Amino acid sequence: MMHENRERLREDFERDGIVFPLPVLSARETNELRRSWDRLEKEESLDGRATTTTHSRHFDLPFVQEIVRSPSVLDYVELVLGPDITLFGTRFFCKYPSASGHHVSWHQDLDSCDLHPPIACTAWLAKD
């Protein structure tokens, strides 16, 4: 179900710890993101799988910079956290088929951030 009431977004986030789905990219932007990712993956892959160069690419990849600076993303983050926003980093989190041997267990992101007060959010943008 689309989160339609922006005024309740922060309340829902505080209660549930998550709000989704949120419209942030147009169909054109989604297609451009996919093409940009496919190019990056092809250029920097090992056996067709992304390498560790997928971390903090907002420093050198314009398409990642566009996403993290997008008003459509930042408006939602601001509704949850307020206007004082700090970007800790970016990452393409690839979940390839289980044959890849990569496993991601359940976890809480904030436990490893050492923030005081512990106020943070992760903005996920699923491409597939």
Side-chain angles (χ1 to χ4, degrees):
M1 181 173 106
M2 185 66 64
H3 198 288
E4 296 176 10
N5 189 339
R6 293 172 64 96
E7 291 76 30
R8 288 192 43 210
L9 187 131
R10 183 180 177 106
E11 177 184 319
D12 292 350
F13 180 79
E14 288 176 1
R15 184 189 64 240
D16 302 329
I18 189 169
V19 285
F20 71 94
L22 301 172
V24 293
L25 297 178
S26 68
R28 181 188 56 78
E29 292 167 322
T30 300
N31 289 333
E32 286 177 15
L33 171 62
R34 180 57 195 238
R35 284 190 297 276
S36 296
W37 167 255
D38 288 346
R39 263 192 314 277
L40 176 66
E41 188 175 38
K42 184 177 180 181
E43 292 168 2
E44 300 184 5
S45 67
L46 297 173
D47 298 325
R49 291 183 171 83
T51 65
T52 57
T53 59
T54 60
H55 292 271
S56 296
R57 296 305 296 267
H58 59 285
F59 291 118
D60 69 324
L61 294 174
F63 81 94
V64 180
Q65 291 173 12
E66 289 175 22
I67 293 168
V68 300
R69 293 179 178 157
S70 167
S72 60
V73 172
L74 292 175
D75 286 350
Y76 285 116
V77 173
E78 183 175 6
L79 285 170
V80 171
L81 298 180
D84 190 13
I85 300 168
T86 299
L87 174 65
F88 282 146
T90 55
R91 180 176 181 198
F92 289 99
F93 193 66
C94 304
K95 293 185 178 184
Y96 293 105
S98 59
S100 70
H102 182 72
H103 174 74
V104 179
S105 61
W106 287 97
H107 63 282
Q108 293 289 323
D109 289 336
L110 201 51
D111 288 344
S112 61
C113 293
D114 197 31
L115 291 176
H116 303 284
I119 301 169
C121 73
T122 301
W124 284 79
L125 180 63
K127 74 169 189 66
D128 281 345

